Amino acid sequence: MGRPVFLFASSLLLMVAATTVSAATVEHSFYVKNFSVTRLCNRQVITAVNDSLPGPSLRVREGDKLIIHVFNMSPYNMTIHWHGVFQLLSAWADGPEMITQCAIRPGNKFTYKFRIINQEGTLFWHAHSSFLRATVHGAIIIRPRVRHSYPFPTPYREVPIVLGEWWNANVVDVETRALALGVGPNISNAYTINGWPGDLYPCSQNQMYKHRVKQGKTYLLRIINAAVNSHLFYKIANHNMTVVAVDARYTNPYVTDVVVISPGQTVDVLLTANQPVGSYYMTANNYASASGTAVGVPFDPTTSRGVIIYQGASSSTTPLMPVVPAFNDTPTAHKFFTELTSLVGGPHWVPVPLNVDHKMFVTVGMGLDVCPPNVSCLGRPPVGAALSASMNNVSFVSPTSLSLLQAFFFNVGGVYTTDFPANPPVQFDYTNPSINFDPPLLFAPKGTRITKVKFNSTVEMVMQNTAIIGVENHPMHLHGFDFYVLAQGFGNFNPATDTLNYNLVNPQMRNTVSVPVGGWAVIRFVANNPGVWFMHCHFDGHMSIGLSTAFIVENGPTPDTTLPPPPTDLPQC
């Protein structure tokens, strides 16, 4: 059955045209370079933007145009990804290395230009090259247009809360070592809140984020998980929070005493300072879903602390400490992830498309690789093999000579194939732990196999976790689109029964979904944005060993739905 032309076929044109009204141009310069900071008793050289950790917040309004000049003064290849930004007709600015562009080499520069179209809330930017995301990141704060308002009471203040990870090491070396040994990366030494580890870590009594509040006032906390490899619980002692948006999509108000946030996700909450005058710790600690699996995945068990200080509180008052969730509290995580719903009728809400053109069932999980040349493979998992990852038994390999988008636009052959399987090549009992080391399932072939879909087609994907090597919660991020999260559950997806539980009325919308540990998630999106769009696990350690794929969305029928040529200063390989 066809869908109304005015709703879909011309939606891209209408969204782009809408930006010409009351829009501003916001321009920044990012100087990416090395500098030294002191954390956890150590003086450490890090790579960051404009000598700050986190980097600068980009504050814009819906409809604005951004121009970001990136000067790579670091010793590393570098790209910047504007995580969650649709990049409508600006796919060249999306940023993932070798997907939409080649790297900005040391000593070179590139200018990203794009508009914020039909998005409000919190997103973030980060490096999309190696583990540099650990220190190269910052907030994107998108407010409504002038004379437009939030769909909730205007807060007294807005506060970015950027959660991260810290290593007492060069983060590029952390990834290089893992790949050289064929194992997972070393765990971080600390978690951070707005760049600070907090007073539970060595030498960090005075390295703690502090936010002062007025009693009775309501604050909008824009929480970002910029961590490289960790899901996080976030709490504030004696305070509830009201979730009003996730991934720059408004939600029905959801009251909670804990926020669960995966790498790549954002959560906007209203915090009312309604407690007695005093000080209250905020905490961030790991939700380690993979602990106890077949490979005994290690995790950082520490807790970062910041503090909320009420105006008039005595400086001698000891802050109250919240009860921190256990690292393996899957029931709390699943409750938070599944009970959020979209604000139907709110700004930029679009009803769920009911007709699906392209259905996919995709397994996501870990595996092994035959030990590659120049890799020792002497550590975990089994000696003589390297850790790998795959989707539908394809372990993704990035091209080396040309980005996927360049190959698509210029019709260059030999860079990729469009035969990514829409279903697993082998069906099995996906979440049964007895398959942990089943040899026929362990070794996924490497390849640059992706999916091509028609412009304006509707794609539905069931992402099924597997127990190969061990189960884990995988944060899956799709570039270029938000998607509806129709359902989530544990065990093997059962189409006969689980499809009956799809939320087609007000499902939450996201750009990053946490596929439950030992479970599945179903997403749906409209491919109304021509270009090449990366999909990958937002654990950098998993992405780097193949837990990725990509979509090509073909051009639409008019010039206004056709990808323009690349900018003249696009970096070359």
Side-chain angles (χ1 to χ4, degrees), residues 347-468:
H348 315 302
W349 164 255
V350 178
V352 183
L354 301 181
N355 300 303
V356 177
D357 303 299
H358 190 82
K359 287 192 174 184
M360 305 177 72
F361 184 99
V362 179
T363 56
V364 295
M366 307 304 292
L368 297 178
D369 187 19
V370 175
C371 192
N374 302 317
V375 176
S376 67
C377 297
L378 298 178
R380 296 177 306 120
V383 172
L387 198 63
S388 184
S390 66
M391 298 177 68
N392 267 1
N393 204 44
V394 177
S395 188
F396 183 82
V397 178
S398 293
T400 57
S401 60
L402 202 66
S403 75
L404 291 180
L405 186 58
Q406 289 171 302
F408 165 62
F409 185 86
F410 294 108
N411 196 28
V412 177
V415 178
Y416 62 84
T417 60
T418 56
D419 59 347
F420 180 84
N423 293 283
V426 178
Q427 295 186 3
F428 55 97
D429 189 359
Y430 304 111
T431 56
N432 187 337
S434 67
I435 67 169
N436 275 332
F437 289 105
D438 189 356
L441 301 175
L442 278 173
F443 295 89
K446 299 287 186 179
T448 311
R449 301 170 65 185
I450 62 181
T451 302
K452 181 183 285 189
V453 296
K454 297 290 186 182
F455 176 79
N456 225 34
S457 60
T458 297
V459 180
E460 180 178 295
M461 179 186 290
V462 178
M463 285 181 282
Q464 173 69 62
N465 208 331
T466 72
I468 300 171

Side-chain angles (χ1 to χ4, degrees), residues 176-237:
T176 300
R177 175 188 178 277
L179 294 175
L181 297 178
V183 299
N186 286 343
I187 62 172
S188 57
N189 297 100
Y191 302 112
T192 57
I193 299 175
N194 284 346
W196 299 108
D199 59 354
L200 290 177
Y201 295 100
C203 306
S204 302
Q205 185 66 35
N206 298 315
Q207 294 197 335
M208 181 165 59
Y209 172 69
K210 299 178 181 180
H211 179 63
R212 300 187 181 276
V213 300
K214 290 185 178 181
Q215 192 176 40
K217 299 295 186 181
T218 297
Y219 297 79
L220 178 61
L221 305 186
R222 298 177 176 272
I223 307 169
I224 298 165
N225 188 348
V228 174
N229 288 319
S230 296
H231 309 276
L232 295 169
F233 294 110
Y234 176 83
K235 294 193 73 172
I236 301 174

Side-chain angles (χ1 to χ4, degrees), residues 306-317:
V307 65
I308 297 286
I309 304 171
Y310 278 63
Q311 187 178 52
S314 170
S315 59
S316 62
T317 301

Side-chain angles (χ1 to χ4, degrees), residues 128 133 142 181 289 365 421 505:
H128 216 295
R133 176 163 67 90
I142 310 168
L181 297 178
S289 64
V505 177

Side-chain angles (χ1 to χ4, degrees), residues 158-299:
E158 300 183 15
V159 185
I161 301 291
V162 182
L163 309 178
E165 285 178 284
W166 175 264
W167 277 265
N168 287 329
N170 181 306
V171 293
V172 174
D173 292 343
V174 170
E175 182 188 39
T176 300
R177 175 188 178 277
L179 294 175
L181 297 178
V183 299
N186 286 343
I187 62 172
S188 57
N189 297 100
Y191 302 112
T192 57
I193 299 175
N194 284 346
W196 299 108
D199 59 354
L200 290 177
Y201 295 100
C203 306
S204 302
Q205 185 66 35
N206 298 315
Q207 294 197 335
M208 181 165 59
Y209 172 69
K210 299 178 181 180
H211 179 63
R212 300 187 181 276
V213 300
K214 290 185 178 181
Q215 192 176 40
K217 299 295 186 181
T218 297
Y219 297 79
L220 178 61
L221 305 186
R222 298 177 176 272
I223 307 169
I224 298 165
N225 188 348
V228 174
N229 288 319
S230 296
H231 309 276
L232 295 169
F233 294 110
Y234 176 83
K235 294 193 73 172
I236 301 174
N238 281 26
H239 288 75
N240 283 332
M241 296 168 279
T242 301
V243 178
V244 292
V246 295
D247 291 4
R249 286 288 188 171
Y250 291 118
T251 64
N252 287 307
Y254 179 78
V255 179
T256 180
D257 69 341
V258 59
V259 166
V260 191
I261 185 167
S262 295
Q265 292 184 333
T266 70
V267 180
D268 292 358
V269 302
L270 296 176
L271 171 73
T272 299
N274 56 9
Q275 295 300 300
V277 171
S279 298
Y280 301 84
Y281 279 121
M282 63 175 72
T283 57
N285 69 294
N286 198 323
Y287 165 47
S289 64
S291 60
T293 62
V295 293
V297 177
F299 68 96

